[in-house]
RNA sequence: GCCCGCAUCGUCUAGCGGUCAGGACACCACCCUUUCAAGGUGGUAACCGGGGUUCGACUCCCCGUGCGGGUACCA
């Protein structure tokens, strides 16, 4: 065990595996959002094949904590292929990887900070803080804590504690500037005077994000922090913490946000946002990964189809984009189609299983073959092959379409014997029959071919749109196909 | 209010002082075609505005504008 809390305490971080160590540290409050996934994906890829990708659960907000969401997150990440080298379930040298199980470490860090004067206890009530902010805002000042409790004497602190007043620990922002070279945005400089004295330990005994992630990133030997730009303004606080604790900060890469079509931060208002929903809509993890990777990254070449291992091979901080990206579902759809067509029929069949419950495995593969070229999402399939699993009985009007009833019946009667034969012969012979019915009408031949074929299609599937007819007959079997054609013929004859 | 970030076709992006500003999605047309797709060919479409710097700016600097983020005992 290296760096584990029981064994090592706060100052050991060396000797951990991996040339680079990056982490994804979600807060388990709901479902895994595609914006977060993009961040996780970048971290995973930027860890490179030689590095380590670590999953850490940031469950320090007990109000919003949702226990189910931890397994939800893990399931989603696994589905996407973003497997973690260290973290919950797999363990690792820095275990535990769940922050609520690491409380003594944060307490120790907080005590150390208070002891050196880098942080101080604060007993201000929420009401007082709110009034303070309202007043500051009213007079056009930045809203910051007024350090009311900074200079409390030891006796005054003890008096507050004796009175049972809730206590937090605040970081004392030192004067000066904080700057760092952001791996995405370049040189960043903030005036510390603009920063609030951030609460580090909450009155419920849990650390805030700020303390917990600095302590954990250090202890876990994180080399590069990849997070969304919304964290940019709090980076100076983190830098101050690293300095006060005598630790070397990691590199920071602030990645731009993922926006909805209206350029607002992507949310449920824009439709789906959870990975699970995309899965249910029939998106392949390969496509989602490929699509998300290009929201803020590009290889600099004209290649655009990448799998996860290629992305991990190719991604670099230098090529990360600094402007926000709009989530364009049409492009996702396109890429999903590309990935569907890249699958083998057997592989596609396996993916289809969850969309076609009750369909036997033997039937899945022919279905996969017939839909592969024509779908962009897996959830289109049930509709496309509905004809094979439910009875059809179109009436005469629907059957004949633009054709005369007698004509349609005549054509159909000649088709019936064809489906009893070899399916491979079906289309050539069908074309010959079509030719007999289009002689002498070269001008309208195209339209007539269309009409004639349509009669067969409707008879067989009762759908205007279906897979190719030979595939349809193949899936139906010649018995069922023949029955449907004969039934259709009866309808036409009765209707005429 | 205060602080900060960002800015190339509708969208994702290439570009890193001199390009006919390239590719992809979407869209349109045509071809292929039994429907729908897939595929092929072609087309429409962009450097937010104003100042500088420079022989020369999409590229560098400043201002404005727009969009976004932060401003919690949430992350």
């Amino acid at each position: 065990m290296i760096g584990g809390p029981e064994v090592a305490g706060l100052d050991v971080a060396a000797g951990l595996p991996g040339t680079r160590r990056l982490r994804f540290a979600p807060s388990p409050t709901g479902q895994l959002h595609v914006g977060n996934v993009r961040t996780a994906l970048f971290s995973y890829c930027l860890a490179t094949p030689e590095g380590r990708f670590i999953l850490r659960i940031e469950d320090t907000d007990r109000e919003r904590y949702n226990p189910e969401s931890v397994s939800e997150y893990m399931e989603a990440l696994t589905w996407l292929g973003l497997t973690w080298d260290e973290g919950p379930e797999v363990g690792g040298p820095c275990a535990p990887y769940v922050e609520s199980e690491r409380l003594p470490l944060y307490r120790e860090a907080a005590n150390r900070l208070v002891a050196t004067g880098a942080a101080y206890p604060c007993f201000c009530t929420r009401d007082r803080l709110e009034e303070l902010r309202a007043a500051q805002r009213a007079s056009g000042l930045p809203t910051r804590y007024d350090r009311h409790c900074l200079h409390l004497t030891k006796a005054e602190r003890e008096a507050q504690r004796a009175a049972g007043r809730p206590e937090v620990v605040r970081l004392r922002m030192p004067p000066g500037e904080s700057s760092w070279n952001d791996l995405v945005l370049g040189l960043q400089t903030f005036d510390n005077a603009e920063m609030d004295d951030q609460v580090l330990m909450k009155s419920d005994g849990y650390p805030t994000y700020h303390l917990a992630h600095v302590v954990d990133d250090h202890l876990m030997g994180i080399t590069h922090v990849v997070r969304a730009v919304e964290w940019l303004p709090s980076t100076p606080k983190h830098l101050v913490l690293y300095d006060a604790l005598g630790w070397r900060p990691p590199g920071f890469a602030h990645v731009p946000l993922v926006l909805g079509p209206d350029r607002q931060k992507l949310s449920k208002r824009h439709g789906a946002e959870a990975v699970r929903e995309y899965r249910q809509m029939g998106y392949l993890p390969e496509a989602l990964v490929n699509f998300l990777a290009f929201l803020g990254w590009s290889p600099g070449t004209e290649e655009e189809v990448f799998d996860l291992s290629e992305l991990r091979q190719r991604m670099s901080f230098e090529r990360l984009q600094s402007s926000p990206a709009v989530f364009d579902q049409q492009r996702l759809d396109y890429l999903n189609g590309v990935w569907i067509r890249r699958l083998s029929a057997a592989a596609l069949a396996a993916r289809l299983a969850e969309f076609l419950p009750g369909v036997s495995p033997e039937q899945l593969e022919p279905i996969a073959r017939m839909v592969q070229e024509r779908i962009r999402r897996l959830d289109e399939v049930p509709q496309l092959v509905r004809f094979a699993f439910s009875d059809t009985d179109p009436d005469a009007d629907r059957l004949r379409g633009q054709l005369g009833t007698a004509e349609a019946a005549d054509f159909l009667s000649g088709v019936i014997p064809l489906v009893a034969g070899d399916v491979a012969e079906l289309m050539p012979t069908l074309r010959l029959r079509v030719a007999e019915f289009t002689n002498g009408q070269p001008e309208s031949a195209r339209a007539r071919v269309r009409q004639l074929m349509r009669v067969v299609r409707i008879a067989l599937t009762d759908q205007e749109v279906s897979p190719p007819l030979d595939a349809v007959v193949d899936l139906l079997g010649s018995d069922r196909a023949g029955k449907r054609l004969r039934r259709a013929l009866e309808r036409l004859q009765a209707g005429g």
Side-chain angles (χ1 to χ4, degrees), chain A residues 18 38 61 65 82 121 135 191 218 249-250 290 303 331 335 342 355 359 365 368 391 409 441 444 455 459 466 486:
Chain A
R38 208 269 319 250
D61 182 351
Y65 177 64
L82 301 177
D191 182 353
H218 173 256
N290 194 163
E303 303 158 277
R331 194 180 171 81
L335 275 172
R342 286 195 160 209
F355 291 86
V359 173
E365 198 164 320
D391 291 329
Q441 292 158 296
S444 57
V455 183
S466 82
R486 284 192 294 277

Side-chain angles (χ1 to χ4, degrees), chain A residues 3-69:
Chain A
E6 311 82 355
V7 184
L10 282 182
D11 288 308
V12 177
L16 293 167
T19 49
R20 282 181 176 186
R21 295 173 58 82
L22 280 79
R23 105 276 120 131
F24 176 53
S27 181
T29 55
Q31 295 198 317
L32 187 55
H33 184 290
V34 290
N36 288 134
V37 171
R38 208 269 319 250
T39 306
L41 173 64
F42 283 175
S43 291
Y44 174 88
C45 293
L46 290 162
T48 75
E50 293 73 40
R52 302 275 276 193
F53 177 60
I54 297 151
L55 176 63
R56 186 173 74 221
I57 304 300
E58 222 150 63
D59 59 345
T60 55
D61 182 351
R62 306 319 284 179
E63 303 273 310
R64 298 198 304 155
Y65 177 64
N66 173 357
E68 282 164 35
S69 109

Side-chain angles (χ1 to χ4, degrees), chain A residues 322-394:
Chain A
S322 50
S323 53
V326 172
F327 188 100
D328 178 14
Q329 197 167 334
Q330 283 189 311
R331 194 180 171 81
L332 207 209
D333 283 348
Y334 161 77
L335 275 172
N336 206 49
V338 169
W339 278 101
I340 283 174
R341 275 170 258 124
R342 286 195 160 209
L343 256 27
S344 68
L348 179 56
R351 312 282 184 115
L352 248 22
E354 64 182 289
F355 291 86
L356 295 170
V359 173
S360 71
E362 309 81 68
Q363 276 184 305
L364 249 22
E365 198 164 320
I367 288 174
R369 258 190 294 273
M370 79 165 62
V371 300
Q372 187 158 28
E373 293 266 302
R374 59 200 76 243
I375 57 166
R376 318 191 106 192
R377 279 163 47 174
L378 266 24
D379 66 352
E380 296 167 44
V381 177
Q383 181 77 350
L384 215 46
V385 299
R386 184 176 34 121
F387 68 88
F389 305 101
S390 61
D391 291 329
T392 57
D393 191 11

Side-chain angles (χ1 to χ4, degrees), chain A residues 393-405:
Chain A
D393 191 11
D395 65 26
D397 274 354
R398 177 159 165 74
L399 278 162
R400 86 173 133 79
Q402 314 277 36
L403 297 171
T405 307

Side-chain angles (χ1 to χ4, degrees), chain A residues 57 66 92 117-118 124 178 200 210 304 329 354 380 387-388 403 410 435 452 454 493:
Chain A
I57 304 300
N66 173 357
C124 289
S178 289
L200 264 20
H210 306 279
E304 53 177 8
Q329 197 167 334
E354 64 182 289
E380 296 167 44
F387 68 88
L403 297 171
D410 188 15
L452 293 164
R454 181 186 171 281
Q493 285 163 343

